[in-house]
Amino acid sequence: MKIINLVIIVLFNFIGAYLSYQWCYSIIIRKHHRLPPELYYLICYGLCYFCFILISIFLLNKIKRPMVLVIFGVLIGIIIPAMPPIVQMLVMEDTNKFAFNLDFIMGMLGITSMITLNFIIYPAILLCCHYFIGGIQKISSKLALKQ
């Protein structure tokens, strides 16, 4: 049963990643040629969704109430996509006074999460996984009772 749950979580996260990527890169970012090439963006996005998969496994094992999953999903959907630009800004570039401005960092957080729509897609992924896994568990328990 654990393998089926893991497959469901990975499948729904891949679907969500594809939808979010299509929305963000194909519709918005491709139009602006000054932004990173598609390969770099895809690597960054893949890392974000790898984090989403790991967090999904943890959340779906610990939290059983759908509303709490939605609240955590919105918060995580806002924070995770904004981490690569903030880390790059704080670590890789020259440290200047502008990089440690909290208003600028919060602005970057808001812009990245608004563009990718992960604050909507990720809670939907969590809910789909929750109800799908719950449905499979009910069906398997009914089949076990009939045997």
Short mmCIF file of all heavy atoms in Angstrom, two decimals, residues 109-132:
data_model
loop_
_atom_site.label_atom_id
_atom_site.label_comp_id
_atom_site.label_asym_id
_atom_site.label_seq_id
_atom_site.Cartn_x
_atom_site.Cartn_y
_atom_site.Cartn_z
N LEU A 109 9.44 37.10 -3.04
CA LEU A 109 8.64 35.96 -2.61
C LEU A 109 7.24 36.05 -3.21
O LEU A 109 6.72 35.09 -3.77
CB LEU A 109 8.58 35.94 -1.08
CG LEU A 109 7.88 34.79 -0.43
CD1 LEU A 109 8.89 33.69 -0.17
CD2 LEU A 109 7.26 35.22 0.87
N GLY A 110 6.65 37.21 -3.14
CA GLY A 110 5.31 37.40 -3.67
C GLY A 110 5.25 37.27 -5.18
O GLY A 110 4.36 36.62 -5.72
N ILE A 111 6.22 37.84 -5.87
CA ILE A 111 6.23 37.80 -7.34
C ILE A 111 6.40 36.38 -7.84
O ILE A 111 5.68 35.93 -8.73
CB ILE A 111 7.34 38.73 -7.90
CG1 ILE A 111 6.96 40.19 -7.66
CG2 ILE A 111 7.59 38.46 -9.37
CD1 ILE A 111 8.06 41.16 -7.95
N THR A 112 7.37 35.65 -7.27
CA THR A 112 7.59 34.28 -7.75
C THR A 112 6.39 33.39 -7.47
O THR A 112 6.04 32.57 -8.31
CB THR A 112 8.83 33.63 -7.10
OG1 THR A 112 9.39 34.47 -6.14
CG2 THR A 112 9.83 33.22 -8.08
N SER A 113 5.81 33.52 -6.32
CA SER A 113 4.66 32.66 -6.02
C SER A 113 3.44 33.05 -6.85
O SER A 113 2.67 32.18 -7.25
CB SER A 113 4.34 32.70 -4.53
OG SER A 113 3.96 33.98 -4.15
N MET A 114 3.27 34.32 -7.14
CA MET A 114 2.14 34.73 -7.97
C MET A 114 2.29 34.24 -9.40
O MET A 114 1.32 33.82 -10.03
CB MET A 114 1.99 36.26 -7.97
CG MET A 114 1.54 36.82 -6.64
SD MET A 114 -0.07 36.22 -6.15
CE MET A 114 -1.11 37.23 -7.15
N ILE A 115 3.50 34.29 -9.93
CA ILE A 115 3.72 33.86 -11.32
C ILE A 115 3.49 32.36 -11.46
O ILE A 115 2.84 31.92 -12.39
CB ILE A 115 5.14 34.25 -11.79
CG1 ILE A 115 5.23 35.75 -11.97
CG2 ILE A 115 5.48 33.56 -13.09
CD1 ILE A 115 6.61 36.23 -12.32
N THR A 116 4.03 31.57 -10.55
CA THR A 116 3.96 30.11 -10.72
C THR A 116 2.62 29.51 -10.32
O THR A 116 2.35 28.37 -10.66
CB THR A 116 5.06 29.42 -9.91
OG1 THR A 116 4.92 29.78 -8.54
CG2 THR A 116 6.43 29.79 -10.40
N LEU A 117 1.82 30.23 -9.57
CA LEU A 117 0.51 29.76 -9.10
C LEU A 117 0.61 28.50 -8.24
O LEU A 117 -0.35 27.76 -8.10
CB LEU A 117 -0.45 29.49 -10.27
CG LEU A 117 -0.92 30.70 -11.05
CD1 LEU A 117 -1.89 30.28 -12.13
CD2 LEU A 117 -1.58 31.73 -10.15
N ASN A 118 1.77 28.24 -7.65
CA ASN A 118 1.92 27.06 -6.79
C ASN A 118 1.11 27.19 -5.52
O ASN A 118 0.80 26.17 -4.90
CB ASN A 118 3.39 26.82 -6.47
CG ASN A 118 4.11 26.21 -7.62
OD1 ASN A 118 3.56 25.40 -8.33
ND2 ASN A 118 5.35 26.59 -7.81
N PHE A 119 0.74 28.39 -5.12
CA PHE A 119 -0.08 28.55 -3.92
C PHE A 119 -1.50 28.08 -4.17
O PHE A 119 -2.26 27.88 -3.23
CB PHE A 119 -0.06 30.00 -3.43
CG PHE A 119 -0.71 30.97 -4.35
CD1 PHE A 119 -2.01 31.38 -4.15
CD2 PHE A 119 -0.03 31.48 -5.44
CE1 PHE A 119 -2.62 32.28 -4.99
CE2 PHE A 119 -0.62 32.39 -6.28
CZ PHE A 119 -1.91 32.78 -6.07
N ILE A 120 -1.88 27.86 -5.44
CA ILE A 120 -3.17 27.27 -5.78
C ILE A 120 -3.00 25.80 -6.17
O ILE A 120 -3.74 24.94 -5.73
CB ILE A 120 -3.84 28.04 -6.95
CG1 ILE A 120 -4.16 29.47 -6.51
CG2 ILE A 120 -5.09 27.33 -7.43
CD1 ILE A 120 -4.63 30.35 -7.63
N ILE A 121 -1.98 25.53 -6.98
CA ILE A 121 -1.78 24.18 -7.51
C ILE A 121 -1.35 23.21 -6.42
O ILE A 121 -1.85 22.08 -6.36
CB ILE A 121 -0.78 24.21 -8.68
CG1 ILE A 121 -1.41 24.94 -9.87
CG2 ILE A 121 -0.35 22.82 -9.09
CD1 ILE A 121 -0.49 25.17 -11.03
N TYR A 122 -0.44 23.61 -5.54
CA TYR A 122 0.07 22.67 -4.54
C TYR A 122 -1.01 22.23 -3.53
O TYR A 122 -1.10 21.03 -3.25
CB TYR A 122 1.30 23.24 -3.84
CG TYR A 122 1.96 22.24 -2.95
CD1 TYR A 122 2.50 21.07 -3.46
CD2 TYR A 122 2.02 22.41 -1.58
CE1 TYR A 122 3.09 20.12 -2.66
CE2 TYR A 122 2.62 21.48 -0.76
CZ TYR A 122 3.14 20.33 -1.31
OH TYR A 122 3.71 19.39 -0.50
N PRO A 123 -1.84 23.14 -2.99
CA PRO A 123 -2.93 22.64 -2.13
C PRO A 123 -3.89 21.72 -2.87
O PRO A 123 -4.38 20.75 -2.29
CB PRO A 123 -3.64 23.91 -1.66
CG PRO A 123 -2.65 24.99 -1.82
CD PRO A 123 -1.78 24.61 -2.97
N ALA A 124 -4.13 22.00 -4.15
CA ALA A 124 -4.99 21.11 -4.93
C ALA A 124 -4.34 19.74 -5.08
O ALA A 124 -5.03 18.70 -5.01
CB ALA A 124 -5.26 21.72 -6.30
N ILE A 125 -3.03 19.71 -5.27
CA ILE A 125 -2.31 18.43 -5.35
C ILE A 125 -2.46 17.66 -4.04
O ILE A 125 -2.74 16.46 -4.04
CB ILE A 125 -0.81 18.67 -5.66
CG1 ILE A 125 -0.64 19.17 -7.07
CG2 ILE A 125 0.00 17.42 -5.43
CD1 ILE A 125 0.77 19.66 -7.36
N LEU A 126 -2.27 18.36 -2.92
CA LEU A 126 -2.40 17.70 -1.62
C LEU A 126 -3.80 17.13 -1.41
O LEU A 126 -3.96 16.00 -0.92
CB LEU A 126 -2.04 18.66 -0.49
CG LEU A 126 -0.57 19.01 -0.32
CD1 LEU A 126 -0.39 20.07 0.76
CD2 LEU A 126 0.25 17.78 0.00
N LEU A 127 -4.82 17.90 -1.78
CA LEU A 127 -6.19 17.41 -1.62
C LEU A 127 -6.48 16.22 -2.53
O LEU A 127 -7.12 15.25 -2.10
CB LEU A 127 -7.19 18.54 -1.89
CG LEU A 127 -7.33 19.57 -0.78
CD1 LEU A 127 -8.32 20.65 -1.19
CD2 LEU A 127 -7.77 18.92 0.51
N CYS A 128 -6.02 16.29 -3.77
CA CYS A 128 -6.22 15.16 -4.68
C CYS A 128 -5.55 13.91 -4.14
O CYS A 128 -6.15 12.83 -4.15
CB CYS A 128 -5.67 15.49 -6.07
SG CYS A 128 -6.65 16.69 -6.98
N CYS A 129 -4.32 14.05 -3.68
CA CYS A 129 -3.61 12.90 -3.10
C CYS A 129 -4.36 12.36 -1.87
O CYS A 129 -4.53 11.15 -1.72
CB CYS A 129 -2.19 13.29 -2.70
SG CYS A 129 -1.08 13.60 -4.08
N HIS A 130 -4.80 13.27 -1.01
CA HIS A 130 -5.50 12.87 0.22
C HIS A 130 -6.76 12.06 -0.10
O HIS A 130 -6.97 10.98 0.46
CB HIS A 130 -5.86 14.13 1.02
CG HIS A 130 -6.71 13.88 2.21
ND1 HIS A 130 -6.22 13.29 3.36
CD2 HIS A 130 -8.03 14.12 2.43
CE1 HIS A 130 -7.20 13.20 4.24
NE2 HIS A 130 -8.31 13.69 3.70
N TYR A 131 -7.59 12.58 -1.00
CA TYR A 131 -8.84 11.89 -1.32
C TYR A 131 -8.60 10.64 -2.15
O TYR A 131 -9.30 9.64 -1.99
CB TYR A 131 -9.81 12.84 -2.02
CG TYR A 131 -10.40 13.84 -1.05
CD1 TYR A 131 -10.22 15.21 -1.23
CD2 TYR A 131 -11.13 13.42 0.05
CE1 TYR A 131 -10.74 16.12 -0.33
CE2 TYR A 131 -11.67 14.32 0.96
CZ TYR A 131 -11.48 15.67 0.76
OH TYR A 131 -11.99 16.57 1.64
N PHE A 132 -7.63 10.65 -3.03
CA PHE A 132 -7.31 9.48 -3.82
C PHE A 132 -6.80 8.35 -2.94
O PHE A 132 -7.24 7.20 -3.07
CB PHE A 132 -6.24 9.85 -4.87
CG PHE A 132 -6.54 9.33 -6.23
CD1 PHE A 132 -7.34 10.03 -7.10
CD2 PHE A 132 -5.99 8.13 -6.65
CE1 PHE A 132 -7.60 9.57 -8.36
CE2 PHE A 132 -6.25 7.64 -7.91
CZ PHE A 132 -7.06 8.36 -8.78
#
